Amino acid sequence: MMRPFEMAPAEGGLDLSGRIALVTGGGTGIGLIIAKSFAEHGAKVYITGRRMEVLEKAASESSLEGQLVPLQMDVTNKDSIRNAVQVVAQNDGKLDVLVNNAGIAGPTTFFPFISDKSAPEHVNLGDNLFEKSRFESWNEVLQTNTVAPFFVTMGFLSLLEKAAKSRASGEGETSSVINISSAGASMNLSMNSFTYPVSKAGINHLSQSMSIEFAVNKIPVRVNCIEPGMFPSELMGTREELTKVAKEPRPGGFMAAPIGRAGKDEELGMAAVFLASRAGGFTNGIVMRVDGGLALVNP
């Protein structure tokens, strides 16, 4: 018998055995890092995205046989979300963990001339940003990065509630929603894009709003947010590419992250495992930075 001041073994609190998780954008990058971390801790993980071949490749190349399940879903399409909800409901009847990770930078939202004072476009900054920016690009980025997590969460909310209520542990059980933001959300610098950091600041606010509304309405679903820094992804680049630039300021920034390297898979994966597991059961409505201090030195 444990004395009152003793802690349970750490692995027990982080065990996800029997849990059903779903990670949007789970076939590559940050989403795949998180999905693999969940599976390594015992969860069955649906990895979703628009490109089925990418999802199937990720699942087939994983050593976690049968624990990564490809599921095609477009997070910006309600019918596609409904179909994914139906698949999970029929197969498992519940969802314990939802990770809203899918995101885009947008094709015409990054403009190096914002910070490059030698660029000809920098001279007439306002005129060039006005002419080169597109309403369609803003809409696309905001729809995917900020609006889609709302629809996906609400679509799966009943299954998240069922999961919390199905556990035998008793009162206080919750399911977990984890929204993936960006270190850029905590910076007032544009980092050569007004669109992307605004969309990520929006997901921070949405996360806290949902966590509060679920709490006051007695919905047993926690909502937290992770702000990653430099991790390998289709957006950020490969680990090799990030290793080369990690000691230098990002374009548009003032300083490199104090830690001077890209993030390791386990550093991000275990942050998500904590928020998804019993160990994180008392954590709700937070924004967790996992960025090596990048946002600390770039205001």
Side-chain angles (χ1 to χ4, degrees), residues 214-248:
F214 293 169
V216 299
N217 286 289
K218 306 297 183 184
I219 296 173
V221 178
R222 295 177 293 111
V223 184
N224 293 290
C225 191
I226 296 177
E227 287 188 357
M230 294 173 62
F231 287 88
S233 68
E234 290 183 328
L235 176 61
M236 293 295 296
T238 65
R239 184 168 298 282
E240 291 73 23
E241 290 169 337
L242 294 179
T243 298
K244 292 178 181 178
V245 302
K247 298 183 185 300
E248 300 295 330

